[in-house]
Amino acid sequence: MSEQITLPPTMSAIHIATPGAPDALQVTSRPLPQVKPGEVLIRVAAAGVNGPDLAQRRGHYDPPPGASPLPGLEVSGVVVALGEGVSRHRVGARVMALTNGGGYAEYVAVPEGQVLPVPYGWSFAEAASLPETWFTVTQTLVMRAGLTPGMTVLVHGASGGIGGAAIQIATLLGAKAIGITSSPEKSAYARSLGAIATIDRSEDIAERVLSLTEGKGADRVVDLVGGDMAAVNVAASARSGHIVLISTLEGGTAEVPLRQMMAKGITMSGSTLRPQSSETKAAIAERIAFSMLLHLSLPDWVKPKITTFPLEDAARAHEQMEARNHIGKLVLLTAFGRSQ
């Protein structure tokens, strides 16, 4: 390493003892990660909890070759060591990062291209809620689906982490977001993030979208649900629309009205972030840094709602996320993070 400070030989971390229920998440002691060329070592203050973490805990989302077996795909904290060749970051900097795994720990090594500065005025807990969701939405909705100003975006799960990020990114880039929620409280939260309207899941979603768009439909759809919602998305889409499939919370298979898709010229794309290359993740980070990051430091920016848990209570955080009644993001705090 080209620069470093005195570090402990071991750290506390959360590992998956046996894939299954939340109680599979247990505290363990591990050696600090070895920092490779091009990586930075981060002392973790906070780690976001995301859907892929739950899938990995259940044994359904194996880490890519060479990635940490520990769960945790986003963190915030302080840079404490630099690998050979690192030039974008300095020791002592407050950062947030998309990891390749290993975020549920006191230290994690991350390729420097996946590390961004913490926005001005953000706590570590707030910053840890951003990377996984913003990288995901930027890759899929912005870079792949070609979001442009003036488009209408229909967002499922609008009060959650991905949905909230989709609303804010769409609004920031000049699009109009319509959120789908399941309660008045969640609807109010989605509107606070910038949604121009919300639709309750009990309503006829396609009919409401067509009504809100003067019969045109949504130009882009961010789907976290899958299952029966696939047909609804097609019905709610505009001509030349693009449906972005990010998760399948209610079913990995679906009946899709292919003739209607063909008649409307609809594109449907799916993607997962974790297997992407470091170069791809760095390109996403550059897009965020270039066109979005500065706005997050403005005094009127609405920060996500955060619920925090101690790192050692990761199982309880997973239980709450599985209940699907929370708003915003769930975040784990290390002892270092709780002291800040």
Side-chain angles (χ1 to χ4, degrees):
M1 291 179 283
S2 60
E3 185 179 358
Q4 68 176 41
I5 59 176
T6 302
L7 299 171
T10 61
M11 64 178 185
S12 291
I14 300 296
H15 78 128
I16 301 169
T18 302
D23 60 8
L25 298 174
Q26 298 182 8
V27 179
T28 186
S29 180
R30 294 286 177 90
L32 262 64
Q34 294 296 310
V35 186
K36 301 173 184 176
E39 292 184 338
V40 301
L41 184 66
I42 298 171
R43 185 180 187 186
V44 176
V49 178
N50 294 280
D53 301 338
L54 274 63
Q56 181 180 346
R57 188 207 75 223
R58 298 176 187 132
H60 301 155
Y61 196 49
D62 292 335
S68 171
L70 301 176
L73 297 175
E74 62 182 351
V75 300
S76 65
V78 175
V79 175
V80 292
L82 307 176
E84 182 181 350
V86 170
S87 60
R88 303 181 191 182
H89 307 284
R90 60 176 179 80
V91 170
R94 288 166 49 92
V95 297
M96 56 188 181
L98 179 76
T99 76
N100 295 332
Y104 288 14
E106 292 183 306
Y107 294 85
V108 64
V110 184
E112 66 167 336
Q114 297 167 209
V115 180
L116 292 167
V118 171
Y120 177 77
W122 285 54
S123 68
F124 280 129
E126 291 164 341
S129 75
L130 188 148
E132 169 70 13
T133 54
W134 277 62
F135 275 64
T136 295
V137 174
T138 300
Q139 178 206 11
T140 56
L141 178 62
V142 179
M143 298 172 71
R144 190 169 184 185
L147 181 70
T148 58
M151 286 184 172
T152 299
V153 183
L154 179 64
V155 180
H156 290 266
S159 64
I162 292 285
I167 288 172
Q168 290 199 300
I169 289 172
T171 304
L172 177 60
L173 297 181
K176 296 170 288 186
I178 299 172
I180 300 173
T181 61
S182 59
S183 72
E185 185 182 10
K186 291 181 177 182
S187 175
Y189 178 68
R191 287 177 179 271
S192 77
L193 297 178
I196 63 166
T198 56
I199 301 171
D200 191 272
R201 288 199 62 193
S202 64
E203 298 182 76
D204 186 323
I205 293 172
E207 182 179 291
R208 285 277 286 127
V209 171
L210 292 173
S211 174
L212 289 166
T213 58
E214 299 180 345
K216 177 186 175 183
D219 301 293
R220 299 291 183 266
V221 178
V222 177
D223 184 11
L224 313 176
V225 181
D228 293 342
M229 203 55 64
V232 174
N233 292 334
V234 173
S237 290
R239 294 187 63 83
S240 302
H242 191 141
I243 301 167
V244 174
L245 185 61
I246 293 178
S247 186
T248 56
L249 294 175
E250 295 188 5
T253 59
E255 286 192 15
V256 182
L258 297 178
R259 289 190 178 91
Q260 191 176 13
M261 283 189 67
M262 294 166 63
K264 289 187 173 184
I266 293 172
T267 299
M268 181 182 292
S269 63
S271 180
T272 54
L273 181 60
R274 190 172 190 182
Q276 304 297 324
S277 68
S278 293
E279 291 77 15
T280 295
K281 293 173 182 176
I284 300 168
E286 288 179 6
R287 182 65 178 268
I288 293 171
F290 178 75
S291 59
M292 305 178 212
L293 192 58
L294 182 63
H295 295 269
L296 275 65
S297 296
L298 297 177
D300 59 347
W301 185 265
V302 179
K303 298 173 187 174
K305 180 178 175 62
I306 302 297
T307 302
T308 62
F309 299 81
L311 178 66
E312 54 269 25
D313 285 347
R316 191 159 58 92
H318 275 223
E319 289 173 354
Q320 182 162 331
M321 188 161 183
E322 288 181 335
R324 295 175 61 181
N325 56 16
H326 68 284
I327 294 177
K329 285 292 293 279
L330 307 180
V331 173
L332 307 174
L333 295 178
T334 63
F336 169 62
R338 297 194 295 272
S339 72
Q340 300 302 297

CSV table of all heavy atoms in Angstrom, one decimal, residues 125-160:
chain,number,residue,atom,x,y,z
A,125,ALA,N,-25.0,7.5,8.1
A,125,ALA,CA,-26.2,6.6,7.9
A,125,ALA,C,-26.9,7.0,6.7
A,125,ALA,O,-27.3,6.1,5.9
A,125,ALA,CB,-27.1,6.7,9.1
A,126,GLU,N,-27.1,8.2,6.4
A,126,GLU,CA,-27.8,8.7,5.2
A,126,GLU,C,-27.0,8.3,4.0
A,126,GLU,O,-27.5,7.8,3.0
A,126,GLU,CB,-28.0,10.2,5.3
A,126,GLU,CG,-29.1,10.6,6.3
A,126,GLU,CD,-29.1,12.0,6.7
A,126,GLU,OE1,-28.1,12.7,6.4
A,126,GLU,OE2,-30.1,12.5,7.2
A,127,ALA,N,-25.7,8.5,4.0
A,127,ALA,CA,-24.8,8.3,2.9
A,127,ALA,C,-24.8,6.8,2.5
A,127,ALA,O,-24.7,6.4,1.3
A,127,ALA,CB,-23.4,8.8,3.1
A,128,ALA,N,-24.8,5.9,3.5
A,128,ALA,CA,-24.8,4.5,3.3
A,128,ALA,C,-26.0,4.0,2.6
A,128,ALA,O,-26.0,2.9,2.0
A,128,ALA,CB,-24.6,3.7,4.6
A,129,SER,N,-27.1,4.8,2.6
A,129,SER,CA,-28.3,4.3,1.9
A,129,SER,C,-28.3,4.6,0.4
A,129,SER,O,-29.2,4.2,-0.3
A,129,SER,CB,-29.5,5.1,2.5
A,129,SER,OG,-29.6,6.4,2.1
A,130,LEU,N,-27.3,5.3,-0.1
A,130,LEU,CA,-27.3,5.8,-1.5
A,130,LEU,C,-26.7,4.9,-2.5
A,130,LEU,O,-27.3,4.7,-3.6
A,130,LEU,CB,-26.7,7.2,-1.5
A,130,LEU,CG,-26.8,7.9,-2.8
A,130,LEU,CD1,-26.9,9.4,-2.5
A,130,LEU,CD2,-25.6,7.7,-3.7
A,131,PRO,N,-25.5,4.3,-2.3
A,131,PRO,CA,-24.8,3.7,-3.5
A,131,PRO,C,-25.5,2.6,-4.2
A,131,PRO,O,-25.7,2.6,-5.4
A,131,PRO,CB,-23.5,3.2,-2.9
A,131,PRO,CG,-23.2,4.1,-1.7
A,131,PRO,CD,-24.6,4.4,-1.1
A,132,GLU,N,-26.0,1.6,-3.5
A,132,GLU,CA,-26.6,0.4,-4.2
A,132,GLU,C,-27.8,0.9,-5.0
A,132,GLU,O,-28.0,0.5,-6.2
A,132,GLU,CB,-27.0,-0.6,-3.2
A,132,GLU,CG,-27.9,-1.7,-3.7
A,132,GLU,CD,-27.2,-2.7,-4.7
A,132,GLU,OE1,-26.0,-2.6,-4.8
A,132,GLU,OE2,-27.9,-3.4,-5.4
A,133,THR,N,-28.7,1.7,-4.4
A,133,THR,CA,-29.9,2.2,-5.1
A,133,THR,C,-29.6,3.1,-6.2
A,133,THR,O,-30.1,3.0,-7.3
A,133,THR,CB,-30.8,2.8,-4.1
A,133,THR,OG1,-30.2,3.9,-3.4
A,133,THR,CG2,-31.3,1.8,-3.1
A,134,TRP,N,-28.7,4.1,-6.0
A,134,TRP,CA,-28.4,5.1,-7.1
A,134,TRP,C,-27.6,4.5,-8.2
A,134,TRP,O,-27.8,4.8,-9.4
A,134,TRP,CB,-27.7,6.3,-6.5
A,134,TRP,CG,-28.7,7.2,-5.9
A,134,TRP,CD1,-29.6,7.0,-4.8
A,134,TRP,CD2,-29.0,8.6,-6.3
A,134,TRP,NE1,-30.4,8.1,-4.6
A,134,TRP,CE2,-30.0,9.1,-5.5
A,134,TRP,CE3,-28.4,9.4,-7.3
A,134,TRP,CZ2,-30.5,10.4,-5.6
A,134,TRP,CZ3,-28.9,10.7,-7.4
A,134,TRP,CH2,-29.9,11.2,-6.6
A,135,PHE,N,-26.7,3.6,-7.9
A,135,PHE,CA,-26.0,2.9,-9.0
A,135,PHE,C,-26.9,2.1,-9.8
A,135,PHE,O,-26.9,2.0,-11.0
A,135,PHE,CB,-24.9,2.0,-8.4
A,135,PHE,CG,-23.6,2.7,-8.1
A,135,PHE,CD1,-23.5,3.7,-7.2
A,135,PHE,CD2,-22.4,2.3,-8.8
A,135,PHE,CE1,-22.2,4.3,-6.9
A,135,PHE,CE2,-21.2,2.9,-8.5
A,135,PHE,CZ,-21.1,3.9,-7.6
A,136,THR,N,-27.8,1.3,-9.1
A,136,THR,CA,-28.8,0.5,-9.8
A,136,THR,C,-29.7,1.3,-10.8
A,136,THR,O,-29.9,0.9,-11.9
A,136,THR,CB,-29.6,-0.3,-8.8
A,136,THR,OG1,-28.8,-1.2,-8.1
A,136,THR,CG2,-30.7,-1.1,-9.5
A,137,VAL,N,-30.3,2.3,-10.2
A,137,VAL,CA,-31.2,3.1,-11.0
A,137,VAL,C,-30.5,3.9,-12.2
A,137,VAL,O,-31.0,4.0,-13.3
A,137,VAL,CB,-32.0,4.1,-10.1
A,137,VAL,CG1,-32.9,5.0,-11.0
A,137,VAL,CG2,-32.9,3.3,-9.2
A,138,THR,N,-29.3,4.4,-11.9
A,138,THR,CA,-28.5,5.1,-12.9
A,138,THR,C,-28.2,4.1,-14.0
A,138,THR,O,-28.3,4.5,-15.2
A,138,THR,CB,-27.3,5.7,-12.3
A,138,THR,OG1,-27.6,6.7,-11.3
A,138,THR,CG2,-26.4,6.4,-13.4
A,139,GLN,N,-27.7,2.9,-13.7
A,139,GLN,CA,-27.4,1.9,-14.7
A,139,GLN,C,-28.6,1.6,-15.6
A,139,GLN,O,-28.5,1.5,-16.8
A,139,GLN,CB,-26.8,0.7,-14.1
A,139,GLN,CG,-26.4,-0.4,-15.1
A,139,GLN,CD,-26.5,-1.8,-14.5
A,139,GLN,OE1,-26.9,-2.0,-13.5
A,139,GLN,NE2,-26.0,-2.8,-15.3
A,140,THR,N,-29.7,1.3,-14.9
A,140,THR,CA,-30.8,0.7,-15.7
A,140,THR,C,-31.7,1.7,-16.3
A,140,THR,O,-32.0,1.7,-17.5
A,140,THR,CB,-31.7,-0.2,-14.7
A,140,THR,OG1,-32.1,0.6,-13.6
A,140,THR,CG2,-30.9,-1.4,-14.3
A,141,LEU,N,-32.2,2.7,-15.5
A,141,LEU,CA,-33.2,3.7,-16.0
A,141,LEU,C,-32.5,4.8,-16.8
A,141,LEU,O,-33.0,5.2,-17.9
A,141,LEU,CB,-33.9,4.3,-14.8
A,141,LEU,CG,-34.9,5.4,-15.1
A,141,LEU,CD1,-36.0,4.9,-16.0
A,141,LEU,CD2,-35.5,6.0,-13.9
A,142,VAL,N,-31.3,5.2,-16.4
A,142,VAL,CA,-30.7,6.4,-17.1
A,142,VAL,C,-29.8,5.9,-18.2
A,142,VAL,O,-30.0,6.3,-19.4
A,142,VAL,CB,-29.9,7.2,-16.0
A,142,VAL,CG1,-29.2,8.4,-16.7
A,142,VAL,CG2,-30.8,7.7,-14.9
A,143,MET,N,-28.8,5.0,-18.0
A,143,MET,CA,-27.9,4.7,-19.0
A,143,MET,C,-28.4,3.7,-20.0
A,143,MET,O,-28.1,3.7,-21.2
A,143,MET,CB,-26.6,4.2,-18.3
A,143,MET,CG,-25.9,5.3,-17.4
A,143,MET,SD,-24.5,4.7,-16.4
A,143,MET,CE,-23.3,4.4,-17.6
A,144,ARG,N,-29.1,2.7,-19.5
A,144,ARG,CA,-29.6,1.6,-20.4
A,144,ARG,C,-31.0,2.0,-21.0
A,144,ARG,O,-31.1,1.8,-22.2
A,144,ARG,CB,-29.7,0.3,-19.6
A,144,ARG,CG,-30.0,-0.9,-20.5
A,144,ARG,CD,-29.8,-2.2,-19.8
A,144,ARG,NE,-30.0,-3.3,-20.7
A,144,ARG,CZ,-30.0,-4.6,-20.3
A,144,ARG,NH1,-29.8,-4.8,-19.0
A,144,ARG,NH2,-30.1,-5.6,-21.1
A,145,ALA,N,-31.9,2.5,-20.3
A,145,ALA,CA,-33.2,2.8,-20.8
A,145,ALA,C,-33.3,4.2,-21.4
A,145,ALA,O,-34.3,4.6,-21.9
A,145,ALA,CB,-34.3,2.6,-19.8
A,146,GLY,N,-32.2,5.0,-21.3
A,146,GLY,CA,-32.1,6.3,-21.9
A,146,GLY,C,-33.1,7.3,-21.4
A,146,GLY,O,-33.8,8.0,-22.3
A,147,LEU,N,-33.3,7.5,-20.1
A,147,LEU,CA,-34.2,8.5,-19.6
A,147,LEU,C,-33.8,9.9,-20.1
A,147,LEU,O,-32.6,10.3,-20.0
A,147,LEU,CB,-34.1,8.4,-18.0
A,147,LEU,CG,-35.1,9.4,-17.3
A,147,LEU,CD1,-36.5,9.0,-17.5
A,147,LEU,CD2,-34.7,9.5,-15.8
A,148,THR,N,-34.8,10.7,-20.5
A,148,THR,CA,-34.5,12.0,-20.9
A,148,THR,C,-35.6,13.0,-20.3
A,148,THR,O,-36.6,12.5,-19.9
A,148,THR,CB,-34.6,12.2,-22.5
A,148,THR,OG1,-35.9,11.7,-22.9
A,148,THR,CG2,-33.5,11.3,-23.2
A,149,PRO,N,-35.3,14.3,-20.3
A,149,PRO,CA,-36.2,15.2,-19.7
A,149,PRO,C,-37.6,15.2,-20.4
A,149,PRO,O,-37.7,15.0,-21.6
A,149,PRO,CB,-35.5,16.6,-19.9
A,149,PRO,CG,-34.1,16.3,-20.0
A,149,PRO,CD,-34.0,14.9,-20.7
A,150,GLY,N,-38.6,15.3,-19.6
A,150,GLY,CA,-40.0,15.3,-20.1
A,150,GLY,C,-40.6,14.0,-20.1
A,150,GLY,O,-41.9,13.9,-20.2
A,151,MET,N,-39.9,12.9,-19.9
A,151,MET,CA,-40.5,11.6,-19.9
A,151,MET,C,-41.3,11.4,-18.6
A,151,MET,O,-41.1,12.1,-17.6
A,151,MET,CB,-39.5,10.5,-20.0
A,151,MET,CG,-38.9,10.3,-21.3
A,151,MET,SD,-37.7,8.9,-21.3
A,151,MET,CE,-37.3,8.8,-23.1
A,152,THR,N,-42.3,10.5,-18.7
A,152,THR,CA,-43.0,10.1,-17.5
A,152,THR,C,-42.5,8.7,-17.1
A,152,THR,O,-42.4,7.8,-17.9
A,152,THR,CB,-44.5,10.0,-17.8
A,152,THR,OG1,-45.0,11.3,-18.1
A,152,THR,CG2,-45.3,9.6,-16.5
A,153,VAL,N,-42.2,8.5,-15.8
A,153,VAL,CA,-41.7,7.3,-15.2
A,153,VAL,C,-42.6,6.7,-14.2
A,153,VAL,O,-42.9,7.4,-13.2
A,153,VAL,CB,-40.3,7.5,-14.6
A,153,VAL,CG1,-39.7,6.2,-14.1
A,153,VAL,CG2,-39.3,8.2,-15.6
A,154,LEU,N,-43.1,5.5,-14.4
A,154,LEU,CA,-43.9,4.8,-13.4
A,154,LEU,C,-43.0,4.0,-12.5
A,154,LEU,O,-42.2,3.2,-13.0
A,154,LEU,CB,-44.9,3.9,-14.1
A,154,LEU,CG,-45.8,3.1,-13.2
A,154,LEU,CD1,-46.7,4.0,-12.4
A,154,LEU,CD2,-46.7,2.1,-14.0
A,155,VAL,N,-43.1,4.2,-11.2
A,155,VAL,CA,-42.1,3.6,-10.3
A,155,VAL,C,-42.9,2.7,-9.3
A,155,VAL,O,-43.7,3.2,-8.5
A,155,VAL,CB,-41.3,4.7,-9.5
A,155,VAL,CG1,-40.4,4.0,-8.5
A,155,VAL,CG2,-40.6,5.6,-10.5
A,156,HIS,N,-42.7,1.4,-9.3
A,156,HIS,CA,-43.2,0.5,-8.3
A,156,HIS,C,-42.4,0.6,-7.0
A,156,HIS,O,-41.2,1.0,-7.0
A,156,HIS,CB,-43.1,-0.9,-8.8
A,156,HIS,CG,-44.1,-1.2,-9.9
A,156,HIS,ND1,-45.3,-1.8,-9.7
A,156,HIS,CD2,-43.9,-1.1,-11.3
A,156,HIS,CE1,-45.9,-1.9,-10.9
A,156,HIS,NE2,-45.1,-1.5,-11.9
A,157,GLY,N,-43.0,0.3,-5.9
A,157,GLY,CA,-42.3,0.3,-4.6
A,157,GLY,C,-41.7,1.7,-4.3
A,157,GLY,O,-40.6,1.8,-3.9
A,158,ALA,N,-42.5,2.7,-4.6
A,158,ALA,CA,-42.0,4.1,-4.6
A,158,ALA,C,-41.5,4.6,-3.2
A,158,ALA,O,-40.9,5.6,-3.1
A,158,ALA,CB,-43.1,5.0,-5.1
A,159,SER,N,-41.9,3.9,-2.1
A,159,SER,CA,-41.5,4.4,-0.8
A,159,SER,C,-40.2,3.6,-0.3
A,159,SER,O,-39.8,3.9,0.8
A,159,SER,CB,-42.6,4.2,0.2
A,159,SER,OG,-42.9,2.8,0.4
A,160,GLY,N,-39.7,2.7,-1.1
A,160,GLY,CA,-38.5,2.0,-0.7
A,160,GLY,C,-37.2,2.6,-1.2
A,160,GLY,O,-37.2,3.7,-1.7
